[in-house]
Amino acid sequence: MIIDRTDRIENYNGLAEHFREAVDFALSLSDKPAGRYECGRFPAGEVFAMVQEGETKPREDGRIEAHRKYIDVQIMLDGGETVYYADIKDLKETEPYSDEKDTAFYEAGGQPARIEKGMFYVVLPHDGHMPCRELDGPGTYRKIVLKIKWN
């Protein structure tokens, strides 16, 4: 998992094909209402983003997930969250991978990372992650979850 400040996101342009164009698309959604948005510059389903708003939840209420088809670039616009992460090889799978949902679930675990406004993180296929957990108690967040087709 990569965690950094949004003003340094260009340092990761080589991470995936069309990374910079995908990030530019995601950042253009900063003022849009919550929802899913397709990037018209790419074939349907290759690059899309979701503007999400919500309340953080206790760690106990979450599950670690991982994806195979897409990487996530999660950009915090307002508020913050704790994300727990671990390599999936160190976790016990509790719900098998669903190709339709591009998600497998794992037992709770992982290390916490504090994500605040102006930060982003990249989740690769080997990164188990549990986003949207409380920072210092209940709180809110507004973020963009950018999905980029992986290989």
Side-chain angles (χ1 to χ4, degrees), residues 59-94:
R59 180 180 184 178
E60 306 81 52
D61 294 348
R63 301 187 291 174
I64 292 202
E65 62 186 65
H67 314 292
R68 295 182 187 168
K69 293 181 187 177
Y70 294 91
I71 64 170
D72 285 2
V73 181
Q74 300 206 17
I75 304 166
M76 191 61 62
L77 299 174
D78 201 18
E81 69 181 16
T82 298
V83 59
Y84 290 86
Y85 66 98
D87 192 303
I88 59 172
K89 71 178 175 69
D90 298 328
L91 299 171
K92 180 181 175 190
E93 188 177 78
T94 58

Side-chain angles (χ1 to χ4, degrees), residues 11-32:
N11 292 335
Y12 304 94
N13 286 347
L15 187 61
E17 188 175 2
H18 309 298
F19 184 84
R20 185 70 232 181
E21 296 98 328
V23 167
D24 288 344
F25 158 70
L27 292 173
S28 77
L29 304 173
S30 295
D31 295 325
K32 297 281 188 188

Side-chain angles (χ1 to χ4, degrees), residues 89-121:
K89 71 178 175 69
D90 298 328
L91 299 171
K92 180 181 175 190
E93 188 177 78
T94 58
E95 190 174 313
Y97 177 76
S98 164
D99 189 59
E100 180 183 330
K101 296 179 182 177
D102 187 36
T103 306
F105 290 99
Y106 300 83
E107 65 186 6
Q111 299 297 313
R114 187 177 186 93
I115 309 298
E116 297 175 332
K117 180 179 178 176
M119 297 177 73
F120 76 95
Y121 58 99

